[in-house]
Amino acid sequence: MKWHKNLLKIVQDRQDKKLAIVVDTSTKETKIDLIAKVLLFFKELKPETTVVQADFKIRTIKHITEGTEINYHTHGKASYTLALEWAEEEQIETLFYITDLTGFLPEDMEKVPYEMYWLVPTEFVPKAPFGKVFKIV
């Protein structure tokens, strides 16, 4: 449960920032209960957070207080591009992305203009293209 303490500090330090959290919904082969706990954590700590459900496209965008039920898919295809572009358009200051880091990202996308945290719910953590990685297991 070390991730709780680390994530708590990060979110508390950004109480005045515009935050969003993206959930990679491309597979049901993930720790669904753990992801639900992370969303509840954000809901209680920063209720202004926006939640985006995305796989190869953005599925939903809603305020975290509108509910955190996630609809997972079985196709296994994930692309981070649209969600990352959405965050830029919405002037998100800190983005948290729950994913196993196996999705597609264009080769020319080497950074984003906001603070980026990859929240990885697996033991094996691939290298992130940019941003900071937190293992949440």
Side-chain angles (χ1 to χ4, degrees):
M1 295 292 222
K2 183 181 176 184
W3 67 266
H4 282 98
K5 185 178 177 182
N6 293 336
L7 197 55
L8 176 65
K9 173 101 172 91
I10 291 168
V11 176
Q12 284 178 331
D13 289 348
R14 288 152 186 81
Q15 282 297 319
D16 60 337
K17 304 273 185 187
K18 188 173 181 182
L19 306 184
I21 186 164
V22 179
V23 179
D24 177 355
T25 60
S26 65
T27 181
K28 292 181 180 178
E29 302 297 318
T30 190
K31 296 178 180 175
I32 294 170
D33 291 341
L34 176 61
I35 293 170
K37 287 178 186 174
V38 172
L39 293 174
L40 180 60
F41 178 87
F42 272 86
K43 185 176 182 179
E44 291 177 358
L45 197 58
K46 180 98 167 125
E48 305 82 29
T49 303
T50 300
V51 177
V52 177
Q53 294 184 45
D55 45 34
F56 58 86
K57 66 180 183 177
I58 293 176
R59 300 285 180 168
T60 64
I61 300 171
K62 60 184 175 181
H63 199 268
I64 201 164
T65 58
E66 295 177 274
T68 55
E69 182 179 330
I70 304 295
N71 297 312
Y72 293 94
H73 303 276
T74 57
H75 52 68
K77 297 176 189 168
S79 173
Y80 305 132
T81 309
L82 293 177
L84 297 177
E85 289 173 347
W86 168 86
E88 183 175 356
E89 290 167 9
E90 293 297 313
Q91 298 178 335
I92 300 298
E93 294 173 273
T94 304
L95 184 69
F96 298 87
Y97 209 125
I98 302 175
T99 181
D100 59 7
L101 278 171
T102 60
F104 172 77
L105 196 63
E107 288 181 20
D108 62 343
M109 185 178 272
E110 297 176 0
K111 62 181 180 173
V112 290
Y114 44 83
E115 189 175 33
M116 180 78 203
Y117 288 92
W118 303 94
L119 305 180
V120 183
T122 61
E123 289 296 330
F124 174 72
V125 181
K127 185 178 182 317
F130 46 78
K132 297 175 185 155
V133 177
F134 274 79
K135 183 165 47 170
I136 52 167
V137 291

